[in-house]
Amino acid sequence: MTRVKPHVPAVLERDGNEAVTRVQLREILCREGLRGGRNDRLGPVLQELRTETTI
């Protein structure tokens, strides 16, 4: 997840949303060549990223 975090602000700014979406997270994972894009694993990562970006 630490490799995903730096990319989140740019994606949010580009797309204009306040919280990262599942599609955006998959895009970052794919672009960075990272594993873990299964639905059952994305939920906890999304929750943590959303918590961090809204605080």
Side-chain angles (χ1 to χ4, degrees), residues 7-33:
H7 303 283
V8 172
V11 171
L12 293 177
E13 184 176 334
R14 178 196 73 196
D15 295 345
N17 19 340
E18 294 180 19
V20 67
T21 66
R22 191 172 297 271
V23 172
Q24 290 169 320
L25 179 55
R26 279 198 184 114
E27 174 191 331
I28 294 168
L29 291 171
C30 183
R31 184 177 58 218
E32 296 302 309

Side-chain angles (χ1 to χ4, degrees), residues 24-49:
Q24 290 169 320
L25 179 55
R26 279 198 184 114
E27 174 191 331
I28 294 168
L29 291 171
C30 183
R31 184 177 58 218
E32 296 302 309
L34 302 172
R35 294 181 178 194
R38 291 180 42 189
N39 274 336
D40 60 332
R41 294 185 183 167
L42 290 181
V45 174
L46 279 170
Q47 185 60 40
E48 189 170 336
L49 288 171

